[in-house]
mmCIF file of all heavy atoms in Angstrom:
data_model
loop_
_atom_site.group_PDB
_atom_site.id
_atom_site.type_symbol
_atom_site.label_atom_id
_atom_site.label_comp_id
_atom_site.label_asym_id
_atom_site.label_seq_id
_atom_site.Cartn_x
_atom_site.Cartn_y
_atom_site.Cartn_z
ATOM 1 N N GLY O 1 86.325 103.473 -12.802
ATOM 2 C CA GLY O 1 86.560 103.726 -14.212
ATOM 3 C C GLY O 1 85.445 103.345 -15.160
ATOM 4 O O GLY O 1 85.631 103.349 -16.357
ATOM 5 N N ASN O 2 84.259 103.037 -14.617
ATOM 6 C CA ASN O 2 83.167 102.634 -15.495
ATOM 7 C C ASN O 2 82.151 103.752 -15.757
ATOM 8 O O ASN O 2 81.175 103.546 -16.458
ATOM 9 C CB ASN O 2 82.460 101.386 -14.951
ATOM 10 C CG ASN O 2 81.740 101.627 -13.644
ATOM 11 O OD1 ASN O 2 81.758 102.713 -13.084
ATOM 12 N ND2 ASN O 2 81.112 100.589 -13.134
ATOM 13 N N GLY O 3 82.371 104.926 -15.185
ATOM 14 C CA GLY O 3 81.474 106.047 -15.436
ATOM 15 C C GLY O 3 80.247 106.099 -14.560
ATOM 16 O O GLY O 3 79.359 106.919 -14.785
ATOM 17 N N TYR O 4 80.183 105.249 -13.554
ATOM 18 C CA TYR O 4 79.066 105.249 -12.610
ATOM 19 C C TYR O 4 79.650 105.275 -11.213
ATOM 20 O O TYR O 4 80.430 104.398 -10.846
ATOM 21 C CB TYR O 4 78.183 104.009 -12.791
ATOM 22 C CG TYR O 4 77.546 103.965 -14.155
ATOM 23 C CD1 TYR O 4 78.142 103.251 -15.189
ATOM 24 C CD2 TYR O 4 76.381 104.671 -14.420
ATOM 25 C CE1 TYR O 4 77.586 103.231 -16.455
ATOM 26 C CE2 TYR O 4 75.813 104.654 -15.680
ATOM 27 C CZ TYR O 4 76.413 103.928 -16.699
ATOM 28 O OH TYR O 4 75.862 103.911 -17.947
ATOM 29 N N LEU O 5 79.282 106.260 -10.418
ATOM 30 C CA LEU O 5 79.829 106.371 -9.068
ATOM 31 C C LEU O 5 79.071 105.435 -8.144
ATOM 32 O O LEU O 5 77.893 105.632 -7.871
ATOM 33 C CB LEU O 5 79.748 107.811 -8.561
ATOM 34 C CG LEU O 5 80.445 108.022 -7.228
ATOM 35 C CD1 LEU O 5 81.949 107.794 -7.370
ATOM 36 C CD2 LEU O 5 80.182 109.403 -6.700
ATOM 37 N N GLU O 6 79.782 104.422 -7.664
ATOM 38 C CA GLU O 6 79.196 103.407 -6.814
ATOM 39 C C GLU O 6 79.749 103.544 -5.398
ATOM 40 O O GLU O 6 80.751 104.222 -5.182
ATOM 41 C CB GLU O 6 79.522 102.034 -7.394
ATOM 42 C CG GLU O 6 78.896 101.848 -8.762
ATOM 43 C CD GLU O 6 79.683 100.945 -9.691
ATOM 44 O OE1 GLU O 6 80.920 100.881 -9.590
ATOM 45 O OE2 GLU O 6 79.040 100.321 -10.532
ATOM 46 N N SER O 7 79.097 102.892 -4.471
ATOM 47 C CA SER O 7 79.581 102.873 -3.098
ATOM 48 C C SER O 7 81.012 102.363 -3.085
ATOM 49 O O SER O 7 81.342 101.400 -3.766
ATOM 50 C CB SER O 7 78.679 101.957 -2.265
ATOM 51 O OG SER O 7 79.162 101.879 -0.952
ATOM 52 N N GLY O 8 81.880 103.032 -2.337
ATOM 53 C CA GLY O 8 83.274 102.632 -2.264
ATOM 54 C C GLY O 8 84.169 103.319 -3.277
ATOM 55 O O GLY O 8 85.323 102.935 -3.436
ATOM 56 N N GLU O 9 83.651 104.332 -3.958
ATOM 57 C CA GLU O 9 84.434 105.051 -4.970
ATOM 58 C C GLU O 9 84.495 106.539 -4.661
ATOM 59 O O GLU O 9 83.682 107.065 -3.907
ATOM 60 C CB GLU O 9 83.829 104.859 -6.366
ATOM 61 C CG GLU O 9 83.858 103.435 -6.833
ATOM 62 C CD GLU O 9 83.245 103.240 -8.206
ATOM 63 O OE1 GLU O 9 82.488 104.109 -8.682
ATOM 64 O OE2 GLU O 9 83.516 102.204 -8.800
ATOM 65 N N PHE O 10 85.462 107.195 -5.264
ATOM 66 C CA PHE O 10 85.605 108.652 -5.197
ATOM 67 C C PHE O 10 85.362 109.176 -6.604
ATOM 68 O O PHE O 10 85.990 108.726 -7.553
ATOM 69 C CB PHE O 10 87.007 109.023 -4.720
ATOM 70 C CG PHE O 10 87.295 110.494 -4.749
ATOM 71 C CD1 PHE O 10 86.671 111.350 -3.857
ATOM 72 C CD2 PHE O 10 88.175 111.023 -5.674
ATOM 73 C CE1 PHE O 10 86.934 112.712 -3.883
ATOM 74 C CE2 PHE O 10 88.446 112.385 -5.703
ATOM 75 C CZ PHE O 10 87.815 113.232 -4.808
ATOM 76 N N GLY O 11 84.436 110.103 -6.737
ATOM 77 C CA GLY O 11 84.065 110.593 -8.059
ATOM 78 C C GLY O 11 84.449 112.037 -8.306
ATOM 79 O O GLY O 11 84.259 112.898 -7.462
ATOM 80 N N GLU O 12 84.998 112.261 -9.482
ATOM 81 C CA GLU O 12 85.303 113.598 -10.001
ATOM 82 C C GLU O 12 84.316 113.864 -11.132
ATOM 83 O O GLU O 12 84.219 113.065 -12.063
ATOM 84 C CB GLU O 12 86.736 113.634 -10.560
ATOM 85 C CG GLU O 12 87.807 113.344 -9.548
ATOM 86 C CD GLU O 12 88.196 114.570 -8.755
ATOM 87 O OE1 GLU O 12 87.618 115.645 -8.962
ATOM 88 O OE2 GLU O 12 89.094 114.438 -7.919
ATOM 89 N N TYR O 13 83.601 114.994 -11.063
ATOM 90 C CA TYR O 13 82.574 115.302 -12.056
ATOM 91 C C TYR O 13 83.009 116.452 -12.962
ATOM 92 O O TYR O 13 83.650 117.403 -12.514
ATOM 93 C CB TYR O 13 81.260 115.681 -11.369
ATOM 94 C CG TYR O 13 80.566 114.515 -10.741
ATOM 95 C CD1 TYR O 13 80.877 114.113 -9.451
ATOM 96 C CD2 TYR O 13 79.604 113.804 -11.439
ATOM 97 C CE1 TYR O 13 80.244 113.036 -8.869
ATOM 98 C CE2 TYR O 13 78.961 112.723 -10.863
ATOM 99 C CZ TYR O 13 79.281 112.348 -9.580
ATOM 100 O OH TYR O 13 78.658 111.285 -9.004
ATOM 101 N N TYR O 14 82.586 116.367 -14.193
ATOM 102 C CA TYR O 14 82.910 117.386 -15.185
ATOM 103 C C TYR O 14 82.219 118.719 -14.862
ATOM 104 O O TYR O 14 82.805 119.776 -15.024
ATOM 105 C CB TYR O 14 82.513 116.897 -16.578
ATOM 106 C CG TYR O 14 82.846 117.866 -17.672
ATOM 107 C CD1 TYR O 14 84.164 118.067 -18.063
ATOM 108 C CD2 TYR O 14 81.844 118.587 -18.320
ATOM 109 C CE1 TYR O 14 84.481 118.956 -19.071
ATOM 110 C CE2 TYR O 14 82.156 119.477 -19.328
ATOM 111 C CZ TYR O 14 83.470 119.667 -19.703
ATOM 112 O OH TYR O 14 83.786 120.559 -20.692
ATOM 113 N N ASN O 15 80.975 118.672 -14.407
ATOM 114 C CA ASN O 15 80.216 119.889 -14.101
ATOM 115 C C ASN O 15 80.012 120.065 -12.599
ATOM 116 O O ASN O 15 80.191 119.124 -11.824
ATOM 117 C CB ASN O 15 78.846 119.863 -14.792
ATOM 118 C CG ASN O 15 78.935 120.121 -16.271
ATOM 119 O OD1 ASN O 15 79.859 120.769 -16.748
ATOM 120 N ND2 ASN O 15 77.975 119.599 -17.023
ATOM 121 N N SER O 16 79.582 121.238 -12.215
ATOM 122 C CA SER O 16 79.226 121.518 -10.822
ATOM 123 C C SER O 16 78.013 120.691 -10.416
ATOM 124 O O SER O 16 77.276 120.186 -11.269
ATOM 125 C CB SER O 16 78.911 123.007 -10.651
ATOM 126 O OG SER O 16 80.057 123.770 -10.943
ATOM 127 N N ASN O 17 77.814 120.575 -9.110
ATOM 128 C CA ASN O 17 76.661 119.875 -8.533
ATOM 129 C C ASN O 17 76.571 118.423 -8.976
ATOM 130 O O ASN O 17 75.483 117.911 -9.229
ATOM 131 C CB ASN O 17 75.367 120.623 -8.844
ATOM 132 C CG ASN O 17 75.406 122.030 -8.331
ATOM 133 O OD1 ASN O 17 75.795 122.280 -7.199
ATOM 134 N ND2 ASN O 17 75.026 122.986 -9.180
ATOM 135 N N GLN O 18 77.729 117.766 -9.098
ATOM 136 C CA GLN O 18 77.822 116.374 -9.505
ATOM 137 C C GLN O 18 77.097 116.129 -10.832
ATOM 138 O O GLN O 18 76.386 115.151 -11.021
ATOM 139 C CB GLN O 18 77.290 115.423 -8.421
ATOM 140 C CG GLN O 18 78.085 115.433 -7.135
ATOM 141 C CD GLN O 18 77.857 116.693 -6.311
ATOM 142 O OE1 GLN O 18 76.731 117.090 -6.087
ATOM 143 N NE2 GLN O 18 78.927 117.309 -5.879
ATOM 144 N N GLY O 19 77.300 117.050 -11.760
ATOM 145 C CA GLY O 19 76.679 116.951 -13.076
ATOM 146 C C GLY O 19 77.658 116.549 -14.152
ATOM 147 O O GLY O 19 78.868 116.621 -13.990
ATOM 148 N N GLY O 20 77.109 116.143 -15.263
ATOM 149 C CA GLY O 20 77.924 115.711 -16.386
ATOM 150 C C GLY O 20 78.520 114.341 -16.129
ATOM 151 O O GLY O 20 78.115 113.615 -15.228
ATOM 152 N N CYS O 21 79.502 113.995 -16.925
ATOM 153 C CA CYS O 21 80.157 112.691 -16.777
ATOM 154 C C CYS O 21 81.005 112.665 -15.515
ATOM 155 O O CYS O 21 81.426 113.694 -15.005
ATOM 156 C CB CYS O 21 81.031 112.412 -17.989
ATOM 157 S SG CYS O 21 80.109 112.055 -19.491
ATOM 158 N N VAL O 22 81.263 111.456 -15.052
ATOM 159 C CA VAL O 22 82.054 111.251 -13.841
ATOM 160 C C VAL O 22 83.255 110.369 -14.168
ATOM 161 O O VAL O 22 83.201 109.539 -15.067
ATOM 162 C CB VAL O 22 81.200 110.613 -12.716
ATOM 163 C CG1 VAL O 22 80.745 109.215 -13.081
ATOM 164 C CG2 VAL O 22 81.949 110.603 -11.394
ATOM 165 N N TRP O 23 84.311 110.591 -13.441
ATOM 166 C CA TRP O 23 85.454 109.683 -13.451
ATOM 167 C C TRP O 23 85.534 109.132 -12.041
ATOM 168 O O TRP O 23 85.709 109.874 -11.080
ATOM 169 C CB TRP O 23 86.722 110.414 -13.865
ATOM 170 C CG TRP O 23 87.899 109.505 -13.930
ATOM 171 C CD1 TRP O 23 88.058 108.423 -14.740
ATOM 172 C CD2 TRP O 23 89.074 109.594 -13.150
ATOM 173 N NE1 TRP O 23 89.267 107.836 -14.502
ATOM 174 C CE2 TRP O 23 89.915 108.537 -13.527
ATOM 175 C CE3 TRP O 23 89.508 110.464 -12.157
ATOM 176 C CZ2 TRP O 23 91.162 108.328 -12.960
ATOM 177 C CZ3 TRP O 23 90.743 110.258 -11.601
ATOM 178 C CH2 TRP O 23 91.558 109.201 -12.004
ATOM 179 N N ASP O 24 85.386 107.831 -11.897
ATOM 180 C CA ASP O 24 85.292 107.192 -10.588
ATOM 181 C C ASP O 24 86.567 106.429 -10.255
ATOM 182 O O ASP O 24 86.993 105.567 -10.999
ATOM 183 C CB ASP O 24 84.065 106.284 -10.523
ATOM 184 C CG ASP O 24 83.913 105.386 -11.743
ATOM 185 O OD1 ASP O 24 84.222 105.810 -12.863
ATOM 186 O OD2 ASP O 24 83.478 104.238 -11.563
ATOM 187 N N LEU O 25 87.162 106.805 -9.125
ATOM 188 C CA LEU O 25 88.405 106.188 -8.662
ATOM 189 C C LEU O 25 88.127 105.241 -7.509
ATOM 190 O O LEU O 25 87.246 105.496 -6.694
ATOM 191 C CB LEU O 25 89.363 107.253 -8.121
ATOM 192 C CG LEU O 25 89.954 108.294 -9.029
ATOM 193 C CD1 LEU O 25 89.088 109.516 -9.091
ATOM 194 C CD2 LEU O 25 91.311 108.657 -8.510
ATOM 195 N N VAL O 26 88.938 104.205 -7.425
ATOM 196 C CA VAL O 26 88.922 103.313 -6.279
ATOM 197 C C VAL O 26 90.251 103.450 -5.544
ATOM 198 O O VAL O 26 90.310 103.393 -4.330
ATOM 199 C CB VAL O 26 88.681 101.851 -6.709
ATOM 200 C CG1 VAL O 26 88.742 100.909 -5.522
ATOM 201 C CG2 VAL O 26 87.342 101.723 -7.400
ATOM 202 N N THR O 27 91.321 103.635 -6.299
ATOM 203 C CA THR O 27 92.651 103.796 -5.729
ATOM 204 C C THR O 27 93.242 105.117 -6.184
ATOM 205 O O THR O 27 92.704 105.782 -7.066
ATOM 206 C CB THR O 27 93.593 102.656 -6.161
ATOM 207 O OG1 THR O 27 93.711 102.683 -7.587
ATOM 208 C CG2 THR O 27 93.059 101.305 -5.726
ATOM 209 N N GLU O 28 94.360 105.482 -5.614
ATOM 210 C CA GLU O 28 95.004 106.752 -5.936
ATOM 211 C C GLU O 28 95.454 106.817 -7.385
ATOM 212 O O GLU O 28 95.621 105.791 -8.045
ATOM 213 C CB GLU O 28 96.190 106.980 -5.005
ATOM 214 C CG GLU O 28 97.274 105.936 -5.135
ATOM 215 C CD GLU O 28 98.306 106.060 -4.031
ATOM 216 O OE1 GLU O 28 97.946 106.380 -2.890
ATOM 217 O OE2 GLU O 28 99.484 105.835 -4.327
ATOM 218 N N ASP O 29 95.625 108.051 -7.857
ATOM 219 C CA ASP O 29 96.119 108.279 -9.211
ATOM 220 C C ASP O 29 96.990 109.527 -9.192
ATOM 221 O O ASP O 29 96.528 110.609 -8.838
ATOM 222 C CB ASP O 29 94.966 108.451 -10.182
ATOM 223 C CG ASP O 29 95.414 108.361 -11.630
ATOM 224 O OD1 ASP O 29 96.489 108.905 -11.960
ATOM 225 O OD2 ASP O 29 94.689 107.763 -12.430
ATOM 226 N N SER O 30 98.229 109.375 -9.572
ATOM 227 C CA SER O 30 99.183 110.488 -9.502
ATOM 228 C C SER O 30 99.130 111.402 -10.712
ATOM 229 O O SER O 30 99.720 112.484 -10.691
ATOM 230 C CB SER O 30 100.607 109.959 -9.332
ATOM 231 O OG SER O 30 100.990 109.215 -10.469
ATOM 232 N N GLN O 31 98.420 110.993 -11.771
ATOM 233 C CA GLN O 31 98.355 111.827 -12.976
ATOM 234 C C GLN O 31 97.013 111.654 -13.659
ATOM 235 O O GLN O 31 96.747 110.611 -14.249
ATOM 236 C CB GLN O 31 99.485 111.452 -13.935
ATOM 237 C CG GLN O 31 100.845 111.723 -13.346
ATOM 238 C CD GLN O 31 101.941 111.593 -14.388
ATOM 239 O OE1 GLN O 31 101.717 111.638 -15.587
ATOM 240 N NE2 GLN O 31 103.166 111.456 -13.919
ATOM 241 N N PHE O 32 96.194 112.682 -13.592
ATOM 242 C CA PHE O 32 94.879 112.627 -14.226
ATOM 243 C C PHE O 32 94.947 112.842 -15.734
ATOM 244 O O PHE O 32 93.952 112.687 -16.419
ATOM 245 C CB PHE O 32 93.955 113.685 -13.626
ATOM 246 C CG PHE O 32 93.439 113.358 -12.240
ATOM 247 C CD1 PHE O 32 93.807 112.218 -11.563
ATOM 248 C CD2 PHE O 32 92.563 114.222 -11.622
ATOM 249 C CE1 PHE O 32 93.334 111.932 -10.295
ATOM 250 C CE2 PHE O 32 92.066 113.960 -10.355
ATOM 251 C CZ PHE O 32 92.454 112.816 -9.695
ATOM 252 N N ASN O 33 96.101 113.216 -16.267
ATOM 253 C CA ASN O 33 96.182 113.549 -17.694
ATOM 254 C C ASN O 33 96.036 112.322 -18.603
ATOM 255 O O ASN O 33 95.896 112.474 -19.806
ATOM 256 C CB ASN O 33 97.482 114.289 -18.015
ATOM 257 C CG ASN O 33 98.721 113.443 -17.762
ATOM 258 O OD1 ASN O 33 98.643 112.388 -17.166
ATOM 259 N ND2 ASN O 33 99.860 113.936 -18.199
ATOM 260 N N ASN O 34 96.031 111.131 -18.049
ATOM 261 C CA ASN O 34 95.833 109.937 -18.862
ATOM 262 C C ASN O 34 94.489 109.262 -18.562
ATOM 263 O O ASN O 34 94.326 108.069 -18.770
ATOM 264 C CB ASN O 34 96.994 108.955 -18.673
ATOM 265 C CG ASN O 34 97.163 108.522 -17.225
ATOM 266 O OD1 ASN O 34 96.446 108.992 -16.341
ATOM 267 N ND2 ASN O 34 98.110 107.644 -16.963
ATOM 268 N N ASN O 35 93.540 110.050 -18.061
ATOM 269 C CA ASN O 35 92.193 109.566 -17.753
ATOM 270 C C ASN O 35 91.162 110.480 -18.397
ATOM 271 O O ASN O 35 91.374 111.689 -18.497
ATOM 272 C CB ASN O 35 91.967 109.546 -16.237
ATOM 273 C CG ASN O 35 92.971 108.654 -15.536
ATOM 274 O OD1 ASN O 35 92.988 107.459 -15.736
ATOM 275 N ND2 ASN O 35 93.828 109.246 -14.739
ATOM 276 N N TRP O 36 90.025 109.879 -18.795
ATOM 277 C CA TRP O 36 88.975 110.639 -19.444
ATOM 278 C C TRP O 36 87.649 110.374 -18.755
ATOM 279 O O TRP O 36 87.408 109.283 -18.250
ATOM 280 C CB TRP O 36 88.876 110.240 -20.915
ATOM 281 C CG TRP O 36 90.095 110.632 -21.671
ATOM 282 C CD1 TRP O 36 90.268 111.779 -22.389
ATOM 283 C CD2 TRP O 36 91.334 109.939 -21.746
ATOM 284 N NE1 TRP O 36 91.538 111.833 -22.904
ATOM 285 C CE2 TRP O 36 92.227 110.710 -22.524
ATOM 286 C CE3 TRP O 36 91.815 108.741 -21.224
ATOM 287 C CZ2 TRP O 36 93.522 110.326 -22.798
ATOM 288 C CZ3 TRP O 36 93.108 108.348 -21.493
ATOM 289 C CH2 TRP O 36 93.943 109.145 -22.277
ATOM 290 N N PHE O 37 86.785 111.400 -18.753
ATOM 291 C CA PHE O 37 85.450 111.230 -18.201
ATOM 292 C C PHE O 37 84.693 110.217 -19.045
ATOM 293 O O PHE O 37 84.752 110.248 -20.274
ATOM 294 C CB PHE O 37 84.689 112.560 -18.193
ATOM 295 C CG PHE O 37 85.199 113.531 -17.175
ATOM 296 C CD1 PHE O 37 86.010 114.586 -17.556
ATOM 297 C CD2 PHE O 37 84.880 113.386 -15.840
ATOM 298 C CE1 PHE O 37 86.486 115.486 -16.619
ATOM 299 C CE2 PHE O 37 85.353 114.277 -14.892
ATOM 300 C CZ PHE O 37 86.151 115.328 -15.285
ATOM 301 N N VAL O 38 83.989 109.323 -18.371
ATOM 302 C CA VAL O 38 83.175 108.325 -19.044
ATOM 303 C C VAL O 38 81.771 108.378 -18.472
ATOM 304 O O VAL O 38 81.532 108.959 -17.420
ATOM 305 C CB VAL O 38 83.765 106.902 -18.883
ATOM 306 C CG1 VAL O 38 85.080 106.776 -19.605
ATOM 307 C CG2 VAL O 38 83.943 106.536 -17.419
ATOM 308 N N GLY O 39 80.861 107.803 -19.169
ATOM 309 C CA GLY O 39 79.482 107.771 -18.717
ATOM 310 C C GLY O 39 78.567 107.518 -19.890
ATOM 311 O O GLY O 39 79.022 107.221 -21.001
ATOM 312 N N PRO O 40 77.281 107.663 -19.658
ATOM 313 C CA PRO O 40 76.318 107.400 -20.726
ATOM 314 C C PRO O 40 76.535 108.342 -21.912
ATOM 315 O O PRO O 40 76.999 109.473 -21.753
ATOM 316 C CB PRO O 40 74.959 107.674 -20.077
ATOM 317 C CG PRO O 40 75.210 107.883 -18.636
ATOM 318 C CD PRO O 40 76.660 108.088 -18.427
ATOM 319 N N SER O 41 76.200 107.871 -23.064
ATOM 320 C CA SER O 41 76.319 108.681 -24.274
ATOM 321 C C SER O 41 75.580 110.004 -24.088
ATOM 322 O O SER O 41 74.468 110.033 -23.587
ATOM 323 C CB SER O 41 75.718 107.919 -25.458
ATOM 324 O OG SER O 41 75.829 108.682 -26.628
ATOM 325 N N GLY O 42 76.228 111.080 -24.427
ATOM 326 C CA GLY O 42 75.606 112.395 -24.339
ATOM 327 C C GLY O 42 75.854 113.142 -23.043
ATOM 328 O O GLY O 42 75.455 114.302 -22.917
ATOM 329 N N CYS O 43 76.502 112.523 -22.049
ATOM 330 C CA CYS O 43 76.750 113.264 -20.806
ATOM 331 C C CYS O 43 77.845 114.307 -21.058
ATOM 332 O O CYS O 43 78.793 114.060 -21.803
ATOM 333 C CB CYS O 43 77.101 112.338 -19.652
ATOM 334 S SG CYS O 43 78.667 111.481 -19.750
#
């Protein structure tokens, strides 16, 4: 959830080819509607 995909995480990216902001999970999530992409300003 910090916007940086680190070892041991599963990342969902806003754009193709792992581009744009990322949402990084460590554990399961049954509803993505309460999560937002995070990352550096401007991604």
Side-chain angles (χ1 to χ4, degrees):
N2 66 359
Y4 297 95
L5 187 65
E6 297 149 330
S7 177
E9 296 179 342
F10 174 70
E12 299 276 2
Y13 288 86
Y14 182 72
N15 285 334
S16 297
N17 302 314
Q18 296 73 49
C21 289
V22 65
W23 182 62
D24 46 324
L25 294 90
V26 177
T27 61
E28 62 190 37
D29 194 320
S30 64
Q31 297 191 19
F32 285 2
N33 64 349
N34 59 357
N35 301 295
W36 294 265
F37 288 102
V38 293
S41 180
C43 68

